[in-house]
């Protein structure tokens, strides 16, 4: 599905508003939208709401063989999934330019900055290490996916706990959370990406662009920084030329934003830790708003099932009992078998059956005409050939009548079967 | 012949649902059954790709997104189940040559996930205001080692069960729209599970009704 | 005239037959097409079978390989089923990666294997935690004319019964497995699952063993898989128009009869090969 294009009126209006230092949602130039961080039921699951933009990150760990050139380091894997849920323009399973860009930036932000101690993820050097996988799902796209994704990813990594492992000789055992407490990852610092959008060839600058603003922007500058004011990655895209002063100014703004966001993250992590310790229920189900009219929650309800058993009995007993006898298959040659059909045929073919092979052959041909394709004919003719021979031998033996009656529910092919069976 | 099934654990976990929680899609809903949670989003009716166009009705696409990794064969088969259930209840002929997309994102799996997918899908379709001939809901029944029927099982209960059945029940005559089973069971057990699911569906439809009533009420 | 009617109004064409309780190919509503089975069709495979249900033709080949079991399940082997619907079998399939129908069919067969316990994966273990068998069961549709699931199950069952595992001994000194291809023994088939597929026409008429045309025109599909003890393994109805529990029961009854019929066919064909040897 295609995205709805932006009309010229909207474009002009947006640009004019930016020139007048006004934003659609009433924010100031350097304002972030309202940010909310919530956690899922299991460890390593984090939701980030940035205004209407919504992102979910899930961290998972698995034991794998390490890379050959780094035998005692764990592996980090990042994947940003542009789910078609977030925007109709995103397509399932296709690597778009945007998804490549976001994935690269996230990797540079979190892997190349060495914010995670990968050596602590080694279990047996050269044999088994943890692979930590971070999946970021976009749920709603309202601009600035990168910032939301980087916040969600690093928060989820901080929240994640991997199962403990024990090594006895060659054997590696993975302990369940009940047996041994899971271990959190060791994280040195938290790089967070901050996006700046530029308009009119860099004349105007906005922090945290929303989707509409992203559509009319000329260029984008993404700075990943930690709270120690160390820049982890910096990337400019969109093909605008920036002055040194502009970059310096942006990095200063970024350092302020990063310290604010880091504080929010640690507060959220602490709150969650406290909630989990208190033994209360936590997760997505609990974070659902109660005070909206679009949301509703009910308690556990019981299901009346007193007459379920009787109902089931009635249905089973009232149903027709399937016939116990089934037609026997024909085996024209070793390794080949054929079974005609199942239930009774009302075409009255049984009488004709006894008339002998010639009519039977006719019946057969008639039936074949019903078949749409000729391809089948080849093998059927072969069967009838072999049958003809057999019937010639069979004729003197008259005792086959009784068995034919036994298989009377079958059609001519079933009848044929019984003849052949007796021959054997 | 008569098999006795215990009826101790026949209850549905607490439900939760929020509609219109995402701004981009035309209809969205989250559905929560105990800890199992799913977000569903619907786009459409919209322009359709020529290769997928059907001349007399809308094309419905269902995508299920797992939490970790890419959709596997299991998701594909569940997509098929959800899609055909939705196709049967939606009046697709009212929107010929157009496309409908339903995206289901698993948030947390704690058992009965296919049922939760179905419930979330139905709520999202309702939120999108698409014309439907009937509503549908999903119910999962598990039969444990003691031949007891457990409705809406948790992941732990699913693991211990010897048979697992998920049904989609329609709101008009409470008949079976979809069935997906695992493990072996007798005819009697199947019929009993269907009867229980039909009963359970009444509770779920009541919940649907309550949430819609709340939505169109003036105050909380 | 009839041909023109069929092309212009395919649904009406079918309805006019169903009104008389029969179908365009002369079958009754609850009648299966002729089912032909040939086993051992592929000499290079470890087990194989060819099944024709009417025009629908499915070939199943089984390849066994040695592998290491998973750490989580040290005492279990693997069964890997795969259903292939190549462009060869029908113009509806395109070349390239497997489409939704092929993937759903593969998952369905995997469900049947798991639910029916036709083979217990424990039987495929050779040495706990070290060595086990993996069975690659490839089902290829050669001609697609509807009801490919039933044909696949029959082909799989017959091919599994036809499969002979070579004897494996583990060399005590080197620890390396030694395969003796001369000495082979059959698999332990514990159950005989057989499927029966149904289609619903106009929300009410049930027909069995649909052709590709009938599948396309119907409003709902249903596949019931039963084993010889009349236990249900899979009741798979991927959506479509609703069915009442009573109608479902009818289908189950028909499926039980079909199971007996097919098991007899498979047993007899296997027997015929044994006696011929």
């Amino acid at each position: 599905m295609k995205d709805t294009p932006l009309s010229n009126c909207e474009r002009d209006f947006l640009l004019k508003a930016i020139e007048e230092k006004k934003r659609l949602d009433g924010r100031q130039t350097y304002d972030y939208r309202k940010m909310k961080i919530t956690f899922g039921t299991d460890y390593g699951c984090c939701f980030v709401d940035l205004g209407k933009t919504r992102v979910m990150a899930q961290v998972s760990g698995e034991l794998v063989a390490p890379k050959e050139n780094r035998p005692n380091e764990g592996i980090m894997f990042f994947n940003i999934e542009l789910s078609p849920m977030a925007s109709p323009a995103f397509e399932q399973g296709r690597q778009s330019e945007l998804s490549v860009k976001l994935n690269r930036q996230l990797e540079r932000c979190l892997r190349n900055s060495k914010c995670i101690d990968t050596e602590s993820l080694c279990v047996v050097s050269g044999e088994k290490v943890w692979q930590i996988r971070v999946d970021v799902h976009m749920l709603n796209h309202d601009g600035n996916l990168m910032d939301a994704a980087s916040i969600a990813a690093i928060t989820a990594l901080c929240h994640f706990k991997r199962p403990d492992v024990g090594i006895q000789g060659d054997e590696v055992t993975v302990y369940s959370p009940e047996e041994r407490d899971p271990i959190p990852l060791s994280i040195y610092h938290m790089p967070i990406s901050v996006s700046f959008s530029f308009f009119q060839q860099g004349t105007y600058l906005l922090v945290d662009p929303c989707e509409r603003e992203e559509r009319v922007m000329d260029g984008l500058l993404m700075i990943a920084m930690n709270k120690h004011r160390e820049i982890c990655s910096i990337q400019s895209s969109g093909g605008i030329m920036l002055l040194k002063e502009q970059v310096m100014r942006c990095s200063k703004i970024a350092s302020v934003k990063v310290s604010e966001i880091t504080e929010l993250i640690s507060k959220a992590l602490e709150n969650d830790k406290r909630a989990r310790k208190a033994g209360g229920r936590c997760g997505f189900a609990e974070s659902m708003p109660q005070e909206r009219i679009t949301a509703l929650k009910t308690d556990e309800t019981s299901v009346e099932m007193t007459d379920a058993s009787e109902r089931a009995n009635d249905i089973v007993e009232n149903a027709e009992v399937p016939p116990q006898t089934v037609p026997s298959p024909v085996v024209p040659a070793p390794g080949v078998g054929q079974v005609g059909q199942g239930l009774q045929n009302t075409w009255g073919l049984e009488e004709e059956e006894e008339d002998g092979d010639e009519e039977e052959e006719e019946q057969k041909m008639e039936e074949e005409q019903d078949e749409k394709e000729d391809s089948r004919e080849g093998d059927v003719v072969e069967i009838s050939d072999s049958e003809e021979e057999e019937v010639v031998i069979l004729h003197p033996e008259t005792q086959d009548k009784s068995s034919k009656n036994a298989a009377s529910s079958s059609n001519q092919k079933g009848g044929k079967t019984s003849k052949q069976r007796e021959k054997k | 012949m008569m098999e006795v099934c215990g009826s101790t654990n026949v209850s549905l976990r607490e439900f939760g649902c929020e509609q219109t929680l995402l701004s981009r899609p035309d209809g969205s809903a989250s559905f929560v059954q105990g800890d199992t949670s799913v977000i569903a989003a619907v786009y459409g009716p919209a322009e359709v790709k020529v290769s997928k166009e059907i001349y007399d009705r809308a094309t419905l696409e269902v995508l299920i997104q797992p939490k970790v990794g890419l959709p596997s064969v299991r998701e594909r088969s569940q997509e098929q189940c959800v899609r055909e259930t939705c196709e049967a209840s939606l009046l697709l002929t009212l929107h010929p040559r157009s496309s409908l997309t339903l995206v289901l994102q698993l948030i947390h799996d704690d058992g009965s996930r296919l049922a939760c997918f179905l419930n979330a899908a139905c709520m999202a379709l309702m939120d999108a205001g698409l014309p439907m001939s009937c509503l549908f809901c999903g119910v999962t029944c598990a039969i444990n080692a003691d031949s007891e029927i457990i409705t809406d099982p948790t992941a732990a209960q699913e693991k211990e069960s010897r048979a697992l059945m998920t049904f989609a029940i329609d709101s008009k005559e409470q008949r079976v729209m979809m069935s997906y089973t695992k493990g072996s069971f007798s005819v009697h057990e199947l019929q009993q599970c269907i009867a229980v699911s039909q009963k359970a569906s009444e509770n779920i439809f009541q919940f649907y009704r309550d949430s819609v009533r709340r939505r169109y009420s003036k105050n909380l | 005239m009839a041909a023109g009617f069929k092309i212009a109004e395919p649904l009406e064409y079918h309805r006019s037959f169903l009104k008389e309780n029969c179908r365009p190919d002369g079958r009754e509503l609850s009648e299966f097409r002729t089912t032909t089975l040939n086993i051992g069709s592929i000499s290079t495979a470890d087990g194989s079978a060819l099944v024709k249900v009417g025009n629908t033709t499915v070939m199943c080949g089984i390849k066994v390989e040695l592998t290491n079991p998973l750490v989580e399940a040290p005492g279990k082997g693997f069964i890997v089923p795969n259903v292939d619907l190549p462009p060869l079998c029908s113009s509806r399939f395109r070349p390239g990666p497997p489409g939704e129908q092929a993937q759903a069919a593969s998952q369905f067969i995997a469900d049947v294997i798991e639910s029916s316990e036709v083979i217990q994966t424990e039987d495929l273990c050779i040495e706990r935690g070290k060595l086990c068998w993996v069975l690659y069961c490839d089902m290829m549709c050669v001609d697609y004319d509807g009801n490919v699931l039933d044909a696949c199950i029959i082909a799989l069952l017959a091919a599994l019964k036809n499969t002979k595992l070579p004897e494996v001994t583990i060399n005590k000194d080197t620890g390396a497995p030694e395969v003796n291809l001369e000495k082979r023994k059959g698999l332990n088939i514990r159950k005989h699952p057989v499927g029966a597929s149904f289609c619903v026409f106009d929300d009410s008429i049930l027909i069995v063993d649909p052709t590709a045309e009938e599948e396309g025109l119907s409003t709902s599909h249903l596949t019931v898989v039963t084993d010889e003890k009349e236990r249900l393994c899979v009741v798979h109805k991927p959506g479509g128009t609703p069915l009442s529990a009573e109608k479902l029961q009818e289908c189950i009854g028909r499926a039980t009869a079909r199971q007996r019929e097919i098991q007899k066919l498979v047993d007899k064909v296997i027997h015929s090969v044994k006696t011929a040897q």
Side-chain angles (χ1 to χ4, degrees):
Chain A
M1 208 167 103
K2 278 189 216 134
D3 216 348
T4 333
L6 200 66
S7 68
N8 287 341
C9 290
E10 274 178 290
R11 181 180 297 274
D12 294 344
F13 172 75
L14 279 163
L15 287 172
K16 193 138 185 246
I18 291 164
E19 274 172 37
E20 291 171 13
K21 306 264 180 209
K22 281 182 182 127
R23 293 178 85 167
L24 279 185
D25 40 16
R27 281 186 285 159
Q28 296 296 315
T29 315
Y30 303 140
D31 282 357
Y32 253 86
R33 283 170 288 179
K34 198 175 161 244
M35 197 188 296
K36 196 174 132 197
I37 300 174
T38 44
F39 295 94
T41 316
D42 32 51
Y43 284 118
C45 179
C46 168
F47 299 84
V48 169
D49 288 64
L50 190 60
K52 282 176 183 160
T53 295
R54 198 169 207 193
V55 164
M56 174 179 87
Q58 172 72 54
V59 182
S60 52
E62 155 181 46
L63 282 175
V64 292
K67 286 182 184 158
E68 268 175 41
N69 50 348
R70 293 173 191 274
N72 42 17
E73 277 184 31
I75 302 169
M76 299 297 299
F77 183 83
F78 297 94
N79 175 38
I80 293 189
E81 191 72 33
L82 294 181
S83 152
M85 179 178 262
S87 159
F90 295 161
E91 261 180 73
Q92 166 90 346
R94 227 192 48 191
Q95 281 285 342
S96 65
E97 210 180 308
L98 180 67
S99 86
V100 174
K101 192 176 114 184
L102 291 177
N103 270 309
R104 284 283 303 136
Q105 178 65 11
L106 189 70
E107 277 188 15
R108 296 205 310 193
C109 175
L110 295 176
R111 187 200 283 152
N112 300 1
S113 66
K114 306 245 184 263
C115 62
I116 291 150
D117 178 14
T118 45
E119 277 178 25
S120 70
L121 297 173
C122 178
V123 180
V124 182
S125 176
E127 277 181 32
K128 274 199 168 75
V129 295
W130 283 102
Q131 168 172 275
I132 303 297
R133 186 189 167 104
V134 185
D135 285 274
V136 183
H137 297 271
M138 304 296 170
L139 303 179
N140 201 39
H141 173 30
D142 191 29
N144 205 3
L145 289 177
M146 188 59 229
D147 291 10
S150 90
I151 295 165
I154 192 70
T155 317
L157 281 168
C158 292
H159 190 245
F160 179 67
K161 288 185 180 176
R162 64 173 171 87
D164 197 2
V165 285
I167 307 160
Q168 286 111 16
D170 290 345
E171 278 204 14
V172 176
T173 36
V174 180
Y175 294 104
S176 65
E178 288 82 28
E179 289 171 305
R180 279 196 198 177
D181 284 340
I183 303 165
L185 303 174
S186 65
I187 290 168
Y188 297 133
H189 58 99
M190 289 161 68
I192 287 159
S193 159
V194 178
S195 301
F196 302 89
S197 52
F198 292 92
F199 303 85
Q200 313 279 40
Q201 274 71 50
T203 329
Y204 301 102
L205 170 151
L206 290 181
V207 173
D208 182 25
C210 71
E211 199 251 348
R212 287 284 143 114
E213 289 164 348
E214 273 186 354
R215 285 210 194 187
V216 297
M217 73 185 175
D218 289 332
L220 186 71
L221 181 71
M222 292 188 279
I223 301 179
M225 197 188 259
N226 60 24
K227 68 172 177 188
H228 314 296
R229 307 184 63 166
E230 292 163 334
I231 292 178
C232 302
S233 114
I234 183 160
Q235 177 173 328
S236 146
S237 58
I240 47 152
M241 314 295 174
L242 293 172
L243 296 168
K244 191 179 136 202
E245 288 76 41
Q246 278 179 310
V247 179
M248 289 306 290
R249 207 170 102 211
C250 288
S251 65
K252 270 190 198 126
I253 302 165
S255 71
V256 177
K257 293 290 160 204
V258 165
S259 59
E260 278 173 24
I261 295 168
T262 312
E263 195 153 314
L264 183 73
I265 293 175
S266 15
K267 213 179 258 170
L269 283 167
E270 218 167 278
N271 276 346
D272 181 71
K273 206 172 168 186
R274 209 174 315 128
R276 271 171 212 266
K277 215 172 199 174
R281 296 197 36 192
C282 42
F284 182 78
E286 295 310 299
S287 67
M288 224 171 67
Q290 302 279 310
E291 65 286 359
R292 293 192 194 155
I293 55 165
T294 49
L296 179 67
K297 267 192 114 166
T298 54
D299 291 332
E300 204 173 299
T301 50
S302 64
V303 181
E304 183 73 36
M305 65 162 287
T306 40
D307 58 344
S309 187
E310 287 98 80
R311 255 196 72 115
N313 254 341
D314 282 356
I315 292 168
V316 175
E317 269 158 31
N318 288 342
E320 236 176 279
V321 180
Q324 290 294 325
T325 52
V326 288
S328 278
V330 207
V331 181
V336 183
Q338 193 169 46
V339 63
Q341 48 72 266
L343 296 187
Q344 235 161 39
N345 194 314
T346 48
W347 285 19
L349 290 171
E350 277 112 283
E351 298 144 300
E352 282 168 289
E353 231 176 78
E354 319 227 331
D355 287 355
D357 37 15
E358 230 176 84
E359 272 183 59
E360 210 172 283
E361 182 81 9
E362 264 175 41
Q363 280 293 333
K364 236 172 160 349
M365 294 310 278
E366 240 172 76
E367 201 188 54
E368 266 155 38
Q369 273 158 16
D370 287 338
E371 300 284 342
K372 272 166 269 152
E373 280 172 54
D374 306 353
S375 64
R376 232 185 118 257
E377 227 156 332
D379 90 43
V380 175
V381 168
E382 198 186 289
I383 290 165
S384 67
D385 272 353
S386 67
E387 201 221 6
E388 231 173 323
E389 287 163 34
E390 271 166 7
V391 173
V392 174
I393 313 161
L394 262 173
H395 253 295
E397 297 174 291
T398 43
Q399 32 93 297
D400 61 350
K401 205 164 174 176
S402 60
S403 76
K404 227 181 257 174
N405 288 343
S408 68
S409 66
S410 65
N411 76 347
Q412 79 272 34
K413 273 183 194 146
K416 213 165 58 194
T417 321
S418 50
K419 283 182 198 166
Q420 283 192 340
R421 196 179 42 191
E422 270 163 37
K423 202 213 141 200
K424 288 222 156 187
Chain B
M1 184 65 203
M2 173 88 184
E3 281 166 75
V4 186
C5 285
S7 55
T8 46
N9 270 317
V10 185
S11 64
L12 297 168
R13 290 177 283 175
E14 58 274 26
F15 286 131
C17 169
E18 186 186 355
Q19 286 182 310
T20 336
L21 75 162
L22 304 176
S23 69
R24 287 300 291 272
D26 298 307
S28 58
S30 67
F31 204 89
V32 174
Q33 287 174 238
D35 274 334
T36 306
S37 355
V38 168
I39 294 186
V42 180
Y43 285 99
E47 190 188 345
V48 65
K49 269 194 200 154
V50 182
S51 59
K52 288 178 183 167
E53 188 182 87
I54 308 175
Y55 67 91
D56 62 345
R57 61 192 164 96
T59 311
L60 176 68
E61 233 184 314
V62 175
L63 300 166
I64 291 180
Q65 307 274 353
K67 223 176 159 190
V68 174
L70 296 169
S72 65
V73 180
R74 186 164 81 134
E75 273 77 26
R76 284 275 170 285
S77 102
Q78 292 188 332
E79 276 171 14
Q80 190 194 24
C81 290
V82 176
R83 194 192 64 229
E84 293 195 15
T85 311
C86 296
E87 274 176 350
S89 72
L90 282 165
L91 296 167
L92 293 171
T93 43
L94 296 178
H95 302 285
R97 293 173 197 264
S98 52
S99 90
L100 292 174
T101 314
L102 171 65
V103 192
L104 296 160
Q105 171 73 54
L106 184 69
I107 301 293
H108 186 77
D109 184 6
D110 188 24
S112 321
R113 57 181 245 165
L114 184 55
C116 197
F117 278 140
L118 286 163
N119 293 334
C122 189
M123 289 304 258
L125 293 174
M126 264 200 270
D127 186 48
L130 292 168
M132 292 162 95
S133 61
C134 63
L135 299 179
F136 56 87
C137 71
V139 186
T140 299
C141 294
I143 302 175
N144 68 8
D146 306 328
S147 291
E148 284 174 346
I149 296 178
I150 302 168
T151 50
D152 197 13
T154 62
Q157 286 169 326
E158 271 187 10
K159 220 172 175 184
E160 279 168 18
S161 66
R162 66 178 166 83
L164 200 65
M165 301 171 217
T166 304
F167 302 106
I169 311 280
D170 80 306
S171 62
K172 269 197 298 197
E173 290 170 68
Q174 260 127 48
R175 288 184 299 179
V176 181
M177 290 183 88
M178 189 224 61
S179 118
Y180 185 89
T181 65
K182 267 218 146 115
S184 67
F185 42 87
S186 70
V187 181
H188 197 86
E189 284 165 335
L190 174 82
Q191 290 295 356
Q192 225 169 355
C193 284
I194 293 178
V196 170
S197 303
Q198 286 169 333
K199 282 278 175 201
S201 74
E202 287 170 20
N203 293 17
I204 302 172
F205 288 128
Q206 188 55 46
F207 174 75
Y208 282 4
R209 211 165 284 127
D210 289 345
S211 59
V212 172
R213 185 176 294 141
R214 180 176 157 108
R215 219 187 131 177
Y216 292 107
S217 63
K218 280 182 186 154
N219 41 16
L220 283 174
Chain C
M1 179 59 204
F5 180 39
K6 187 179 164 189
I7 292 161
E9 287 283 350
L11 198 54
E12 264 324 300
Y13 176 78
H14 276 87
R15 275 187 195 137
S16 60
F17 278 94
L18 295 176
K19 221 163 43 200
E20 307 295 330
N21 276 329
C22 67
R23 289 149 77 173
D25 53 8
R27 283 187 286 158
E28 285 177 56
L29 300 188
S30 62
E31 192 178 330
F32 277 89
R33 287 171 284 180
T34 313
T35 309
T36 315
L37 171 69
N38 175 234
I39 64 162
S41 340
I42 313 171
S43 58
T44 49
D46 296 293
S48 61
L50 177 89
V51 168
K52 277 172 82 84
V53 179
N55 287 329
T56 300
T57 312
V58 172
M59 184 97 221
C60 176
I62 292 180
K63 178 106 197 96
V64 300
E65 272 177 31
L66 287 169
T67 188
N68 303 322
L70 288 177
V71 184
E72 295 92 77
K76 285 182 178 177
F78 306 94
I79 307 174
V80 185
N82 181 45
V83 178
D84 197 6
L85 298 172
L88 161 86
C89 69
S90 167
S91 58
R92 72 179 66 202
F93 303 113
R94 302 258 151 255
E100 196 206 58
Q101 198 185 348
Q103 291 193 27
S106 298
Q107 177 69 36
F108 174 81
I109 297 295
D111 284 346
V112 170
I113 293 172
E114 200 195 316
S115 300
S116 64
E117 292 169 335
V118 54
I119 290 181
Q120 279 185 349
T121 43
E122 283 85 354
D123 293 347
L124 299 174
C125 183
I126 301 163
E127 197 181 320
R128 197 182 153 80
K130 293 267 160 57
L131 203 63
C132 68
W133 288 112
V134 52
L135 303 185
Y136 291 104
C137 312
D138 285 296
M139 279 147 275
M140 157 108 75
C141 182
V142 187
D143 191 349
Y144 184 93
D145 192 19
N147 200 8
V148 75
L149 294 181
D150 285 14
C152 281
I153 300 174
I154 301 171
L156 176 75
L157 178 64
L160 284 173
K161 290 201 85 148
N162 179 237
T163 305
K164 297 264 187 291
L165 290 178
E167 197 182 70
V168 178
T169 43
I170 292 175
N171 193 315
K172 287 225 168 61
D173 304 323
T174 57
E178 285 168 3
V179 182
N180 183 359
L181 289 171
E182 299 303 303
K183 243 180 163 178
R184 281 167 175 268
K185 70 180 205 316
L187 285 165
N188 185 6
I189 308 291
R190 288 166 189 262
K191 294 278 170 61
H192 293 77
V194 174
S197 289
F198 304 84
C199 262
V200 183
F201 252 91
D202 287 338
D203 305 347
S204 56
I205 307 163
L206 264 176
I207 58 168
V208 79
D209 185 19
T211 60
E213 212 182 323
E214 287 164 338
E215 271 184 1
L217 294 168
S218 66
T219 51
S220 173
H221 309 262
L222 168 71
T223 304
V224 180
V225 182
T226 55
D227 65 15
E228 66 266 44
K229 295 206 177 90
E230 288 191 30
R231 284 182 81 76
L232 299 161
C233 307
V234 173
V235 180
H236 185 65
K237 183 177 185 301
T241 44
L243 270 188
S244 64
E246 287 82 3
K247 282 262 187 211
L248 215 57
Q249 189 61 36
E250 260 176 51
C251 297
I252 294 166
R254 185 68 191 92
T256 337
R258 174 71 172 171
Q259 197 278 335
R260 291 199 191 107
E261 194 177 300
I262 293 301
Q263 195 186 341
K264 214 165 178 180
L265 173 72
V266 174
D267 285 345
K268 207 155 175 191
V269 172
I270 299 277
H271 184 72
S272 79
V273 174
K274 274 196 191 131
T275 47
Q277 272 166 359

